[in-house]
Amino acid sequence: MDGRDLVRSMSVVGSGRAARGLRTVRAAWRRRRIDAAGLPRRGPERARVPGQVQGVEPGPGGGLIRFGRSELRIVVATNGAVFWGWDGAGPRPSYALAGSGPEPDARAVLEPDKEGGWRVVAERVTVVVSRHGAVEVCTPGGVTLRRELPPRWWEPVGGGAARWMQRSEVPADARFFGLGGRASGPRLRDGGYRLWNTDPGRAFGPGDDPLYLTMPVQLVVADAGTHLVFHDTTWDGTVVLREGEEGAGSGHDRAGSCEVRMDGGPLRCWVVVGTPARVLLTWAALTGAPAVPPAWALGHHHAGRGTGGEEGVRRVVADHQERGLPLDAVHLGAGHQDGHRVFTVDQERFPKLPVLAEELRRDGVRLVSVVDPAVRVEPGGAVYQSGAAVGAFVRDGQGRTVEGAGWAGDSVFPDFTSARVREWWGGLYEELLGQGFAGFWHDANEPTSFSAFGEPTLPRSARHALEGRGGDHREAHNVYALCMARAAYEGLRELAPRERPFLFSRSGWAGLQRYGGTWSGDVATGWPGLRASLSLVLGLGLCGVPYSGPDVGGTGGGPSPELYLRWLQLGAYLPLLRTHAGCGEPWEFGAEVLEHARVALLERRRLLPYFVTLAHVARRTGAPCVRPLWWGAPEDRALRDCEDTFLLGDGLLVAPVLDPGAGRRAVRLPRGRWYDTVTEEVHQGPAQVLLDAPLARIPVLARAGAVIPVRGADGGLELEVWAPARGRTGGGLVVRDAGDGWEEPEVERYVARRQGGRVVVTRDREDGVAEPPYPVRVRGLG
């Protein structure tokens, strides 16, 4: 038990929650004892560097370069991605990669380079390896995007996992993004970022790091080009970033730098170069296409604790309906469970839950259940008994089941790194499906004890299957939630094969998008928390997770009416829109806030066809729904530094109000013609403009020529077309989704052309052009 554990535990005891606090203290001491006995002692270490090149062995897509003390495998894939692994490490096994991985590019050639080095030349990238082990990633024209210095390992003299360090250099003008969910982003400033999924134990703000979902994925944007780098190891580590500095024309630039230090695991990585769109397309090909949620999951969610029982749920739905507030899903927290036991329902408060679920479904409202991984130690409990029968729970090095402190009391935790355990866990969702739940919210799955208190759960020495390889929690911790999401997703595919699973997870790792999305967790109520919410969504999108969003209003205190409304106005344009009973209901903030909240929620309902289209586009291309302003013009440095505005797809630009008392705000515009979607006033970019931002709305602009699918007054689909500039054309996509199921919907392409004083919209088909089958509303001609 370290000092932080002790302080947190004692604060819990002193808060009046003594029983839970004492369980937390006991669990922390148990972890300490288990780790003292189970973790190898780190004694003297031996430092190692690669040495000099000794020889090469060409192979498909690259080859093997042998050094005096290591060997480097380099492979360029057919999609342009570059893999390299030191000490001969290959791409597999990997929790991040989907399928069997890309094929090597047979056209890539390993050939000698100057001064005893070697290089791999491919169509989209050149990789140069020096005779001492430095690796440069260059454009086909020879411009260096990234230079990896020779790595260094520290190996225990007595054997065991080696820790390693890799230093890199990037251009002086480069900007860093990514690393999973970071509250300080989306642009990552100078400093250290830990790679260890962590419940901070309290409501967090921009200064807190790490958080629930970390990934060793960086997206680096510079004048020379964009590249993504992924260090594929799940161990605890730290990334230290430092932006470069240009010499103001003197030629004396200071390169940006990145230092990655990992406590173990293979030193291997993937690098993808190209435009942002091409990079994310290739990343999705490597790690899996994002899951498309059912259409209802792109609407308005409301979360409650479930303590009000069936009548409380009915009251929440009725309150929204009476006030004209659209509502698509109600989330029930642990309060709806029988004594916080996972996969149970409190029959006293919810005696006829399937009947209630069916009533709500007829009104267009679904139920979503919280699920956390802690299973109460209860010899008579069905989940505990069935899990014990299949040996599902994590054990220590002596073969004893590890117990921790969970919401339901003393708990054990499934080992989701075992295929057999995942199959068992996935089957348990049948109980909740039978109760009428349509979706699932994974919580406290870093894993943590008592998510509100931030206690770690499993000792680092706890044993895991790791797909049959065997290992301990140091390697399994960061992928624990990812494997839990996989178990649920695969189980739901079996249990309800005609419905797309809907699940989102507080924690995860690279590849989480294959199974669902995420939400921000306990972001602090306050204006800094509002800003952090946007940072998290943007950063996760650039790591390949397009479906995410915060709890509107934050956690840990009642927001002011202005803050609540501004948060809701932002949330209306994010993929996951979830309000929370803990922050208050819109009508509790007064008539003015209620009216403006209704406008925001109705606009979200109107844009639902656009969100459905963006979700399908994300599945096909990997492009996030919420994109930074520089998405289409990464060479524009002013856009690279803009963090308070975003693009929603290609068609809309959203400028949320992130500061109190603001009635106007400055908005940076990318190149092109932009229309205010309320006033239809025209603005020409690139420029910075000052726009009105009354309490009633936030500035939202449409790109000239955009064709946006919206919901009409009769509930049918319409095309909202923003007039192209004279002599220009525009367009957009429409994906008509049945709402659920696995049928592959057609991608419809529309083109808008200016002809005199008219705008003509046509649909592009393989057999020519056709009239749109939907009503068309042209805006911006005035």
PDB file of all heavy atoms in Angstrom, residues 106-128:
ATOM      1  N   ALA A 106       4.649  -6.381 -51.363  1.00  0.00           N
ATOM      2  CA  ALA A 106       5.716  -7.071 -52.095  1.00  0.00           C
ATOM      3  C   ALA A 106       6.589  -6.103 -52.877  1.00  0.00           C
ATOM      4  O   ALA A 106       7.719  -6.447 -53.267  1.00  0.00           O
ATOM      5  CB  ALA A 106       5.108  -8.110 -53.038  1.00  0.00           C
ATOM      6  N   ARG A 107       6.088  -4.885 -53.108  1.00  0.00           N
ATOM      7  CA  ARG A 107       6.876  -3.911 -53.874  1.00  0.00           C
ATOM      8  C   ARG A 107       7.903  -3.188 -53.013  1.00  0.00           C
ATOM      9  O   ARG A 107       8.815  -2.540 -53.550  1.00  0.00           O
ATOM     10  CB  ARG A 107       5.938  -2.891 -54.526  1.00  0.00           C
ATOM     11  CG  ARG A 107       4.937  -3.498 -55.508  1.00  0.00           C
ATOM     12  CD  ARG A 107       3.874  -2.474 -55.883  1.00  0.00           C
ATOM     13  NE  ARG A 107       3.107  -2.070 -54.700  1.00  0.00           N
ATOM     14  CZ  ARG A 107       2.169  -1.126 -54.721  1.00  0.00           C
ATOM     15  NH1 ARG A 107       1.900  -0.493 -55.838  1.00  0.00           N
ATOM     16  NH2 ARG A 107       1.508  -0.817 -53.608  1.00  0.00           N
ATOM     17  N   ALA A 108       7.748  -3.230 -51.691  1.00  0.00           N
ATOM     18  CA  ALA A 108       8.705  -2.578 -50.805  1.00  0.00           C
ATOM     19  C   ALA A 108      10.032  -3.320 -50.845  1.00  0.00           C
ATOM     20  O   ALA A 108      10.079  -4.559 -50.807  1.00  0.00           O
ATOM     21  CB  ALA A 108       8.168  -2.530 -49.386  1.00  0.00           C
ATOM     22  N   VAL A 109      11.132  -2.570 -50.901  1.00  0.00           N
ATOM     23  CA  VAL A 109      12.453  -3.155 -51.108  1.00  0.00           C
ATOM     24  C   VAL A 109      13.391  -2.719 -49.987  1.00  0.00           C
ATOM     25  O   VAL A 109      13.458  -1.539 -49.639  1.00  0.00           O
ATOM     26  CB  VAL A 109      13.036  -2.721 -52.467  1.00  0.00           C
ATOM     27  CG1 VAL A 109      14.433  -3.299 -52.659  1.00  0.00           C
ATOM     28  CG2 VAL A 109      12.123  -3.152 -53.603  1.00  0.00           C
ATOM     29  N   LEU A 110      14.115  -3.685 -49.430  1.00  0.00           N
ATOM     30  CA  LEU A 110      15.184  -3.405 -48.474  1.00  0.00           C
ATOM     31  C   LEU A 110      16.487  -3.272 -49.248  1.00  0.00           C
ATOM     32  O   LEU A 110      16.893  -4.197 -49.954  1.00  0.00           O
ATOM     33  CB  LEU A 110      15.288  -4.532 -47.442  1.00  0.00           C
ATOM     34  CG  LEU A 110      16.421  -4.430 -46.415  1.00  0.00           C
ATOM     35  CD1 LEU A 110      16.233  -3.230 -45.505  1.00  0.00           C
ATOM     36  CD2 LEU A 110      16.504  -5.713 -45.588  1.00  0.00           C
ATOM     37  N   GLU A 111      17.138  -2.113 -49.123  1.00  0.00           N
ATOM     38  CA  GLU A 111      18.348  -1.871 -49.910  1.00  0.00           C
ATOM     39  C   GLU A 111      19.368  -1.118 -49.078  1.00  0.00           C
ATOM     40  O   GLU A 111      19.026  -0.452 -48.095  1.00  0.00           O
ATOM     41  CB  GLU A 111      18.016  -1.088 -51.175  1.00  0.00           C
ATOM     42  CG  GLU A 111      17.370   0.255 -50.927  1.00  0.00           C
ATOM     43  CD  GLU A 111      16.924   0.943 -52.213  1.00  0.00           C
ATOM     44  OE1 GLU A 111      16.551   0.230 -53.165  1.00  0.00           O
ATOM     45  OE2 GLU A 111      16.952   2.192 -52.245  1.00  0.00           O
ATOM     46  N   PRO A 112      20.634  -1.194 -49.444  1.00  0.00           N
ATOM     47  CA  PRO A 112      21.674  -0.494 -48.681  1.00  0.00           C
ATOM     48  C   PRO A 112      21.500   1.013 -48.758  1.00  0.00           C
ATOM     49  O   PRO A 112      21.015   1.564 -49.752  1.00  0.00           O
ATOM     50  CB  PRO A 112      22.979  -0.928 -49.365  1.00  0.00           C
ATOM     51  CG  PRO A 112      22.629  -2.152 -50.133  1.00  0.00           C
ATOM     52  CD  PRO A 112      21.203  -2.004 -50.543  1.00  0.00           C
ATOM     53  N   ASP A 113      21.889   1.677 -47.683  1.00  0.00           N
ATOM     54  CA  ASP A 113      21.885   3.131 -47.632  1.00  0.00           C
ATOM     55  C   ASP A 113      23.297   3.591 -47.325  1.00  0.00           C
ATOM     56  O   ASP A 113      24.219   2.778 -47.135  1.00  0.00           O
ATOM     57  CB  ASP A 113      20.885   3.616 -46.572  1.00  0.00           C
ATOM     58  CG  ASP A 113      20.563   5.092 -46.704  1.00  0.00           C
ATOM     59  OD1 ASP A 113      20.286   5.522 -47.840  1.00  0.00           O
ATOM     60  OD2 ASP A 113      20.585   5.808 -45.690  1.00  0.00           O
ATOM     61  N   LYS A 114      23.502   4.874 -47.228  1.00  0.00           N
ATOM     62  CA  LYS A 114      24.835   5.424 -46.996  1.00  0.00           C
ATOM     63  C   LYS A 114      25.344   5.095 -45.601  1.00  0.00           C
ATOM     64  O   LYS A 114      24.564   4.826 -44.689  1.00  0.00           O
ATOM     65  CB  LYS A 114      24.812   6.932 -47.215  1.00  0.00           C
ATOM     66  CG  LYS A 114      23.834   7.664 -46.308  1.00  0.00           C
ATOM     67  CD  LYS A 114      23.751   9.142 -46.659  1.00  0.00           C
ATOM     68  CE  LYS A 114      22.731   9.844 -45.762  1.00  0.00           C
ATOM     69  NZ  LYS A 114      22.603  11.277 -46.102  1.00  0.00           N
ATOM     70  N   GLU A 115      26.655   5.107 -45.444  1.00  0.00           N
ATOM     71  CA  GLU A 115      27.357   4.961 -44.159  1.00  0.00           C
ATOM     72  C   GLU A 115      26.983   3.676 -43.429  1.00  0.00           C
ATOM     73  O   GLU A 115      26.852   3.647 -42.205  1.00  0.00           O
ATOM     74  CB  GLU A 115      27.092   6.176 -43.261  1.00  0.00           C
ATOM     75  CG  GLU A 115      27.593   7.488 -43.858  1.00  0.00           C
ATOM     76  CD  GLU A 115      27.336   8.679 -42.963  1.00  0.00           C
ATOM     77  OE1 GLU A 115      26.685   8.485 -41.913  1.00  0.00           O
ATOM     78  OE2 GLU A 115      27.758   9.792 -43.302  1.00  0.00           O
ATOM     79  N   GLY A 116      26.758   2.629 -44.168  1.00  0.00           N
ATOM     80  CA  GLY A 116      26.523   1.324 -43.557  1.00  0.00           C
ATOM     81  C   GLY A 116      25.109   1.079 -43.097  1.00  0.00           C
ATOM     82  O   GLY A 116      24.837   0.048 -42.473  1.00  0.00           O
ATOM     83  N   GLY A 117      24.192   2.000 -43.375  1.00  0.00           N
ATOM     84  CA  GLY A 117      22.806   1.809 -42.980  1.00  0.00           C
ATOM     85  C   GLY A 117      21.996   1.117 -44.066  1.00  0.00           C
ATOM     86  O   GLY A 117      22.518   0.716 -45.111  1.00  0.00           O
ATOM     87  N   TRP A 118      20.702   0.973 -43.808  1.00  0.00           N
ATOM     88  CA  TRP A 118      19.786   0.328 -44.750  1.00  0.00           C
ATOM     89  C   TRP A 118      18.498   1.135 -44.808  1.00  0.00           C
ATOM     90  O   TRP A 118      18.213   1.937 -43.921  1.00  0.00           O
ATOM     91  CB  TRP A 118      19.484  -1.113 -44.319  1.00  0.00           C
ATOM     92  CG  TRP A 118      20.676  -2.011 -44.473  1.00  0.00           C
ATOM     93  CD1 TRP A 118      21.716  -2.122 -43.599  1.00  0.00           C
ATOM     94  CD2 TRP A 118      20.975  -2.863 -45.572  1.00  0.00           C
ATOM     95  NE1 TRP A 118      22.655  -3.012 -44.076  1.00  0.00           N
ATOM     96  CE2 TRP A 118      22.220  -3.495 -45.292  1.00  0.00           C
ATOM     97  CE3 TRP A 118      20.320  -3.184 -46.761  1.00  0.00           C
ATOM     98  CZ2 TRP A 118      22.814  -4.395 -46.156  1.00  0.00           C
ATOM     99  CZ3 TRP A 118      20.905  -4.090 -47.631  1.00  0.00           C
ATOM    100  CH2 TRP A 118      22.134  -4.690 -47.333  1.00  0.00           C
ATOM    101  N   ARG A 119      17.747   0.889 -45.860  1.00  0.00           N
ATOM    102  CA  ARG A 119      16.465   1.568 -45.980  1.00  0.00           C
ATOM    103  C   ARG A 119      15.460   0.672 -46.684  1.00  0.00           C
ATOM    104  O   ARG A 119      15.825  -0.195 -47.469  1.00  0.00           O
ATOM    105  CB  ARG A 119      16.608   2.887 -46.747  1.00  0.00           C
ATOM    106  CG  ARG A 119      17.041   2.725 -48.201  1.00  0.00           C
ATOM    107  CD  ARG A 119      17.182   4.086 -48.851  1.00  0.00           C
ATOM    108  NE  ARG A 119      17.595   3.941 -50.254  1.00  0.00           N
ATOM    109  CZ  ARG A 119      17.797   4.968 -51.074  1.00  0.00           C
ATOM    110  NH1 ARG A 119      17.646   6.208 -50.635  1.00  0.00           N
ATOM    111  NH2 ARG A 119      18.174   4.752 -52.335  1.00  0.00           N
ATOM    112  N   VAL A 120      14.183   0.902 -46.335  1.00  0.00           N
ATOM    113  CA  VAL A 120      13.072   0.215 -46.995  1.00  0.00           C
ATOM    114  C   VAL A 120      12.314   1.272 -47.773  1.00  0.00           C
ATOM    115  O   VAL A 120      11.830   2.252 -47.203  1.00  0.00           O
ATOM    116  CB  VAL A 120      12.144  -0.472 -45.974  1.00  0.00           C
ATOM    117  CG1 VAL A 120      10.978  -1.152 -46.691  1.00  0.00           C
ATOM    118  CG2 VAL A 120      12.923  -1.486 -45.148  1.00  0.00           C
ATOM    119  N   VAL A 121      12.216   1.070 -49.081  1.00  0.00           N
ATOM    120  CA  VAL A 121      11.588   2.039 -49.969  1.00  0.00           C
ATOM    121  C   VAL A 121      10.237   1.481 -50.410  1.00  0.00           C
ATOM    122  O   VAL A 121      10.154   0.371 -50.951  1.00  0.00           O
ATOM    123  CB  VAL A 121      12.467   2.328 -51.200  1.00  0.00           C
ATOM    124  CG1 VAL A 121      11.789   3.352 -52.111  1.00  0.00           C
ATOM    125  CG2 VAL A 121      13.832   2.835 -50.745  1.00  0.00           C
ATOM    126  N   ALA A 122       9.172   2.255 -50.146  1.00  0.00           N
ATOM    127  CA  ALA A 122       7.829   1.872 -50.553  1.00  0.00           C
ATOM    128  C   ALA A 122       7.181   3.051 -51.268  1.00  0.00           C
ATOM    129  O   ALA A 122       7.759   4.136 -51.383  1.00  0.00           O
ATOM    130  CB  ALA A 122       7.000   1.447 -49.339  1.00  0.00           C
ATOM    131  N   GLU A 123       5.954   2.831 -51.726  1.00  0.00           N
ATOM    132  CA  GLU A 123       5.285   3.851 -52.527  1.00  0.00           C
ATOM    133  C   GLU A 123       5.002   5.111 -51.727  1.00  0.00           C
ATOM    134  O   GLU A 123       5.182   6.228 -52.221  1.00  0.00           O
ATOM    135  CB  GLU A 123       3.979   3.287 -53.080  1.00  0.00           C
ATOM    136  CG  GLU A 123       3.185   4.276 -53.926  1.00  0.00           C
ATOM    137  CD  GLU A 123       1.876   3.701 -54.418  1.00  0.00           C
ATOM    138  OE1 GLU A 123       1.535   2.571 -54.028  1.00  0.00           O
ATOM    139  OE2 GLU A 123       1.189   4.388 -55.194  1.00  0.00           O
ATOM    140  N   ARG A 124       4.551   4.978 -50.482  1.00  0.00           N
ATOM    141  CA  ARG A 124       4.111   6.125 -49.704  1.00  0.00           C
ATOM    142  C   ARG A 124       5.093   6.552 -48.624  1.00  0.00           C
ATOM    143  O   ARG A 124       4.898   7.577 -47.983  1.00  0.00           O
ATOM    144  CB  ARG A 124       2.764   5.816 -49.032  1.00  0.00           C
ATOM    145  CG  ARG A 124       1.653   5.487 -49.999  1.00  0.00           C
ATOM    146  CD  ARG A 124       0.403   5.101 -49.234  1.00  0.00           C
ATOM    147  NE  ARG A 124      -0.630   4.563 -50.102  1.00  0.00           N
ATOM    148  CZ  ARG A 124      -1.711   3.930 -49.684  1.00  0.00           C
ATOM    149  NH1 ARG A 124      -1.894   3.758 -48.376  1.00  0.00           N
ATOM    150  NH2 ARG A 124      -2.595   3.470 -50.536  1.00  0.00           N
ATOM    151  N   VAL A 125       6.126   5.771 -48.396  1.00  0.00           N
ATOM    152  CA  VAL A 125       7.014   6.065 -47.282  1.00  0.00           C
ATOM    153  C   VAL A 125       8.373   5.429 -47.532  1.00  0.00           C
ATOM    154  O   VAL A 125       8.478   4.405 -48.227  1.00  0.00           O
ATOM    155  CB  VAL A 125       6.413   5.525 -45.962  1.00  0.00           C
ATOM    156  CG1 VAL A 125       6.337   4.012 -45.961  1.00  0.00           C
ATOM    157  CG2 VAL A 125       7.169   6.024 -44.746  1.00  0.00           C
ATOM    158  N   THR A 126       9.398   6.060 -46.971  1.00  0.00           N
ATOM    159  CA  THR A 126      10.742   5.486 -46.960  1.00  0.00           C
ATOM    160  C   THR A 126      11.205   5.417 -45.512  1.00  0.00           C
ATOM    161  O   THR A 126      11.083   6.404 -44.767  1.00  0.00           O
ATOM    162  CB  THR A 126      11.721   6.332 -47.779  1.00  0.00           C
ATOM    163  OG1 THR A 126      11.293   6.368 -49.139  1.00  0.00           O
ATOM    164  CG2 THR A 126      13.130   5.757 -47.713  1.00  0.00           C
ATOM    165  N   VAL A 127      11.722   4.253 -45.117  1.00  0.00           N
ATOM    166  CA  VAL A 127      12.211   4.064 -43.751  1.00  0.00           C
ATOM    167  C   VAL A 127      13.724   3.850 -43.825  1.00  0.00           C
ATOM    168  O   VAL A 127      14.193   2.914 -44.484  1.00  0.00           O
ATOM    169  CB  VAL A 127      11.542   2.855 -43.075  1.00  0.00           C
ATOM    170  CG1 VAL A 127      12.021   2.731 -41.634  1.00  0.00           C
ATOM    171  CG2 VAL A 127      10.031   2.987 -43.118  1.00  0.00           C
ATOM    172  N   VAL A 128      14.480   4.735 -43.168  1.00  0.00           N
ATOM    173  CA  VAL A 128      15.942   4.688 -43.206  1.00  0.00           C
ATOM    174  C   VAL A 128      16.452   4.258 -41.847  1.00  0.00           C
ATOM    175  O   VAL A 128      16.066   4.835 -40.821  1.00  0.00           O
ATOM    176  CB  VAL A 128      16.522   6.067 -43.585  1.00  0.00           C
ATOM    177  CG1 VAL A 128      18.046   6.003 -43.630  1.00  0.00           C
ATOM    178  CG2 VAL A 128      15.960   6.539 -44.922  1.00  0.00           C
TER     179      VAL A 128
END
